[in-house]
Amino acid sequence: MTSMPPRSPLDPAALTLAPKVLLHDHLDGGLRPSTVLELARETGYDELPAETADDLAVWFRDAADSGSLERYLETFAHTVGVMQTVGALERVAAECVEDLAADGVVYAEVRYAPEQHLERGLELDEVVEAVLRGFAQGERTAAGSGRPIAVRCLVTAMRHAARSREIAELAVRYRDRGVVGFDIAGAEAGHPPSRHLDAFEYMRANCAPFTIHAGEAFGLPSIHEAIGFCGTDRLGHGVRVIDDITLPPGARPDDDSFPGAELGLIANIVRDKRIPLELCPSSNVQTGAVASLAQHPFNVLARLRFRVTVNTDNRLMSDTTMSKEFAKLSDQFGYGWTDFERFTVNAMKSAFIHFDERLAFIDDVIKPGYAVLLQG
């Protein structure tokens, strides 16, 4: 993979204009700090660790910088805590869409765990319908501001709980109304994906796609299970696939190519089957999946022609956007517009909507958008 020099500079304004596709973004990880404060007051949630939006934003970012996935996940107690009513869910969903559109995202699949929003008496279906209404409202607002976007939903089951089959049934029940897939998430260690085989078998039996959080905090065994036992369509993170790749002596993650790299069985099947990797650079550093951005295997995997995609994971906790993730990758690995176009096309090819819809985004939105940036 060689990069053409960008015709338009990779500055914040141009990066925002670039059409982007986001496959791995958590609804409860992307709230505006001001919204968290306002919803806490409205709902009587009194456990927030800060009293101003600025202080709260700093707290979330610093608390997430622990280097531990388990401690990172603890921050969600506060966002989930204020997302327990229909009104709160609709508002958070609508604002999510508006914020993504403002950042140049043209298609997104946003995930959340309906089972975590039942503390005040809501039913699973009520949660899903509230979020879908919020997404629709956000799409209308974004279109009215000249930034059209399509947002679809992934419903997630918590891997430490026992409701995955029920959530899989929810995904299938709403698949013609905006839910395009299923996921499991949460602490990986001690909670292998194979514990939820009945949910994955149900999804396959109903010809419904799913992704699995694997290869983030836990290594190759979780990727092996997700692919070999569960039959996942995508890998949520999957960053630890690098553990099955032996690079030539002296190779660095920021090299231009890796001749002589040796792939093991798992790495080969991930690449051979074009299983998409939902990589989240900033988050992967925060959770300790990689030691630093400089050591992130994104570039190795991209150069070795894995199907890499760029994602935010949790915009609040990582204080990030897709534009910021693009900028970090450009600064670290020297990527230009042709690279980002390829990563974006990778993501669109990997979306859980139908082929004709994916092709329309690629031909009518993504390629024309990058053509403008390449021409300057």
Side-chain angles (χ1 to χ4, degrees):
M1 180 177 64
T2 56
S3 304
M4 293 175 59
R7 306 295 176 82
S8 295
L10 283 161
D11 57 30
L15 284 167
T16 299
L17 288 174
K20 306 169 194 71
V21 173
L22 175 57
L23 300 179
H24 194 121
D25 186 78
H26 290 264
L27 182 64
D28 51 342
L31 281 70
R32 300 171 183 172
S34 58
T35 296
V36 178
L37 284 172
E38 291 172 18
L39 290 177
R41 297 188 190 106
E42 292 174 10
T43 61
Y45 183 83
D46 59 1
E47 299 180 30
L48 291 183
E51 296 181 356
T52 70
D54 289 344
D55 289 345
L56 196 58
V58 170
W59 181 88
F60 274 110
R61 184 188 65 230
D62 291 350
D65 278 336
S66 64
S68 161
L69 176 59
E70 286 74 15
R71 289 189 61 193
Y72 180 92
L73 294 175
E74 290 174 5
T75 60
F76 289 86
H78 300 298
T79 54
V80 171
V82 301
M83 295 170 62
Q84 298 297 327
T85 67
V86 166
L89 290 165
E90 289 180 354
R91 174 178 176 177
V92 169
E95 291 180 351
C96 168
V97 177
E98 294 168 21
D99 293 345
L100 293 179
D103 187 44
V105 176
V106 296
Y107 176 83
E109 292 177 1
V110 178
R111 64 190 72 189
Y112 67 101
E115 64 194 85
Q116 293 192 307
H117 303 280
L118 310 178
E119 295 176 6
R120 295 201 175 193
L122 293 179
E123 300 291 336
L124 290 173
D125 290 70
E126 291 178 298
V127 173
V128 173
E129 289 168 8
V131 171
L132 291 176
R133 285 195 299 272
F135 284 166
Q137 176 59 53
E139 287 179 345
R140 290 191 293 270
T141 301
S145 64
R147 301 302 296 265
I149 181 175
V151 176
R152 300 295 178 261
C153 175
L154 301 179
V155 290
T156 297
M158 301 309 297
R159 61 201 309 153
H160 61 272
R163 304 190 72 165
S164 55
R165 170 59 184 263
E166 189 178 6
I167 303 303
E169 293 173 355
L170 192 68
V172 170
R173 190 155 67 245
Y174 282 89
R175 67 174 162 188
D176 295 325
R177 289 179 273 177
V179 176
V180 294
F182 171 71
D183 173 41
I184 62 169
E188 289 183 37
H191 305 286
S194 56
R195 284 186 57 193
H196 304 277
L197 281 178
D198 60 336
F200 302 126
E201 289 169 357
Y202 180 84
M203 294 297 290
R204 290 199 302 271
N206 284 276
C207 301
F210 57 92
T211 181
I212 296 177
H213 277 72
E216 182 186 15
F218 210 61
L220 286 175
S222 69
I223 296 176
H224 180 211
E225 284 202 13
I227 297 169
F229 290 89
C230 305
T232 191
D233 296 292
R234 301 196 311 236
L235 286 168
H237 300 288
V239 67
R240 297 289 294 279
V241 73
I242 193 66
D243 297 348
D244 202 34
I245 300 173
T246 302
L247 298 179
R252 302 189 317 274
D254 59 350
D255 284 347
D256 288 337
S257 64
F258 301 91
E262 297 182 3
L263 278 62
L265 290 174
I266 296 174
N268 264 319
I269 199 66
V270 170
R271 186 171 69 171
D272 291 349
K273 294 185 72 173
R274 316 307 299 144
I275 297 174
L277 299 173
E278 302 166 359
L279 300 174
C280 308
S282 294
S283 174
N284 294 155
V285 174
Q286 284 184 302
T287 62
V290 297
S292 67
L293 188 62
Q295 294 175 270
H296 199 289
F298 189 103
N299 189 57
V300 176
L301 298 170
R303 302 288 180 186
L304 291 177
R305 307 300 289 193
F306 285 77
R307 184 174 281 187
V308 298
T309 67
V310 184
N311 302 276
T312 53
D313 201 10
N314 299 289
R315 288 168 287 114
L316 172 60
M317 286 70 175
S318 295
D319 186 23
T320 196
T321 62
M322 283 290 285
S323 293
K324 288 181 180 180
E325 295 300 304
F326 276 18
K328 288 180 180 181
L329 290 171
S330 178
D331 290 344
Q332 186 62 54
F333 301 121
Y335 295 144
W337 292 124
T338 52
D339 299 308
F340 291 126
E341 179 181 19
R342 184 162 76 85
F343 303 152
T344 302
V345 170
N346 279 352
M348 198 67 246
K349 287 180 178 179
S350 307
F352 285 162
I353 54 176
H354 296 305
F355 173 78
D356 57 339
E357 297 174 281
R358 285 180 272 147
L359 193 62
F361 272 104
I362 292 170
D363 289 344
D364 301 338
V365 180
I366 295 169
K367 288 186 176 180
Y370 280 96
V372 170
L373 293 167
L374 284 164
Q375 292 168 2

